Amino acid sequence: MTVLTSSPQPFTATAAPTGDADSRTTVTVVAKRLVADGVCELTLADPYGRRLPDWTPGSHIDLVLPGDHVRQYSLCGDRRDATTYTIAVLREPDGRGGSAAVHDDLEPGDLLGIGGPRNHFRLSPAPHHLFIAGGIGITPILAMVRAVEAMGGSWELLYGGRSRSSMAYLEELEAYGSRVRVVPQDAEGLLDLGAAMASLPEGTRVSCCGPAPLLAAVEARGTMLPAGSVRTERFVAADQPAPVRSTSFEIELAASGRVVEVAPGRPVIDALADAGVHVLTSCRQGICGTCETGVVAGVPDHRDALLSDDERERGDTMFVCVSRACSDRLVLDL
């Protein structure tokens, strides 16, 4: 493995910076290394050694790269370390340039902007956890494994990848012994989800992150489990059916009573911006959670990849980059 490190001044934690989780923070790259073929790990810290905002397993940050590219990456380091964040980035040959910038351009000492952390893939209490990871999907799962292990909980992990050399953090994970099943596709084929999910202990929580086909297969098998047993996280938005309504609808701003019309095919976030109401956004695919907005009244047409079935049913929040309205009017907490 290649390791690149800087020689910064020692970091001493001070009081946490003020501001909410949506504020932008400047961090410096303090270490960079390859943790698998095509997977680069970055360690980030506040330039002045201040404490970074706390995070929980499943959290991600927005990374603002040179050229103002914003990408979301799961935190996979030691959450007990209040002074650093760790992310691991897969090089995507057909990507939009973000992963290439991380792999090729960033060096220790570089300054970056980050947003968050945010968590829409939360680790819920359960008597037993089945973690399923595919490829770079191991990053949020790794933090969950560490957390459950630290609490003395019951867990098992099914981890698949193209080959052993492409699978990050194998040495740490395989130290857990038989609780971890590593399945390199080139040697053993695809993950046996049927065997893994067939006879789970009562109350098992299944958490899965990885490529879309894996998520679809886990979700399909999850229909045989009690509602709410399976939670997945996507790196790419899933295909969505046509919107519930094909006509325009209205957005009422709860703070002022102002009404904004949203035309067919026009994203809510753009209609709001045209009216001078700017909501922070990042992915514009409904997968990062940056633009989450409270719903005071009306029925949203949820088109994100974040909310659980229960959260959709409650209808008290939506992601205005992709979601729309079922009702004629939505009243938003803006």
Side-chain angles (χ1 to χ4, degrees):
M1 296 181 183
T2 301
V3 180
L4 300 174
T5 58
S6 63
S7 300
Q9 295 299 313
F11 284 86
T12 303
T14 60
T18 58
D20 59 32
D22 287 331
S23 61
R24 297 297 182 189
T25 301
T26 298
V27 294
T28 186
V29 179
V30 295
K32 177 181 180 180
R33 65 174 183 146
L34 290 177
V35 292
D37 291 347
V39 181
C40 175
E41 180 191 85
L42 296 181
T43 303
L44 311 170
D46 182 274
Y48 301 100
R50 294 173 299 189
R51 182 188 183 100
L52 294 170
D54 293 337
W55 60 281
T56 53
S59 295
H60 69 266
I61 57 171
D62 302 321
L63 191 65
V64 185
L65 296 165
D68 211 25
H69 300 292
V70 180
R71 301 291 186 268
Q72 289 74 44
Y73 299 110
S74 296
L75 291 170
C76 60
D78 183 355
R79 57 186 295 263
R80 297 168 299 179
D81 180 356
T83 62
T84 65
Y85 287 158
T86 301
I87 61 173
V89 180
L90 172 68
R91 181 187 287 276
E92 297 278 5
D94 299 322
R96 297 174 293 160
S99 67
V102 170
H103 280 255
D104 299 337
D105 300 333
L106 292 184
E107 297 292 345
D110 288 347
L111 295 175
L112 299 169
I114 64 169
R118 302 180 187 85
N119 196 342
H120 294 282
F121 187 43
R122 297 177 180 87
L123 177 65
S124 299
H128 183 72
H129 292 270
L130 170 60
F131 299 116
I132 303 174
I136 197 61
I138 193 61
T139 49
I141 297 298
L142 179 61
M144 293 181 176
V145 164
R146 289 172 176 159
V148 176
E149 176 68 10
M151 294 184 290
S154 175
W155 63 273
E156 57 188 304
L157 167 65
L158 188 62
Y159 180 18
R162 296 187 309 277
S163 63
R164 285 186 61 87
S165 65
S166 71
M167 299 170 71
Y169 304 112
L170 277 186
E171 183 176 352
E172 175 183 348
L173 290 167
E174 289 186 324
Y176 291 116
S178 60
R179 286 178 292 176
V180 177
R181 176 83 168 94
V182 174
V183 184
Q185 186 176 349
D186 62 350
E188 300 184 37
L190 299 176
L191 298 177
D192 188 349
L193 299 177
M197 300 178 69
S199 56
L200 294 171
E202 183 176 355
T204 296
R205 177 80 170 190
V206 180
S207 301
C208 176
C209 186
L214 173 63
L215 301 184
V218 169
E219 289 168 348
R221 292 192 175 275
T223 59
M224 307 300 292
L225 301 175
S229 298
V230 176
R231 195 67 187 266
T232 60
E233 182 173 58
R234 297 179 180 275
F235 292 135
V236 179
D239 292 336
Q240 293 284 347
V244 169
R245 59 186 299 148
S246 58
T247 57
S248 62
F249 57 93
E250 295 178 334
I251 296 291
E252 179 180 336
L253 309 180
S256 64
R258 185 179 177 188
V259 175
V260 177
E261 183 172 349
V262 182
R266 182 73 169 158
V268 171
I269 199 164
D270 290 345
L272 291 171
D274 289 345
V277 181
H278 297 282
V279 178
L280 188 65
T281 187
S282 178
C283 73
R284 297 185 72 97
Q285 299 180 71
I287 59 174
C288 76
T290 304
C291 66
E292 184 171 8
T293 303
V295 178
V296 178
V299 181
D301 175 12
H302 295 293
R303 305 179 62 75
D304 62 273
L306 294 165
L307 297 178
S308 66
D309 290 342
D310 288 344
E311 290 167 333
R312 290 169 186 264
E313 185 68 25
R314 287 202 302 269
D316 57 1
T317 190
M318 66 183 289
F319 299 94
V320 293
C321 67
V322 292
S323 295
R324 303 186 67 75
C326 297
S327 52
D328 292 336
R329 177 177 289 193
L330 290 176
V331 182
L332 300 185
D333 188 18
L334 293 171

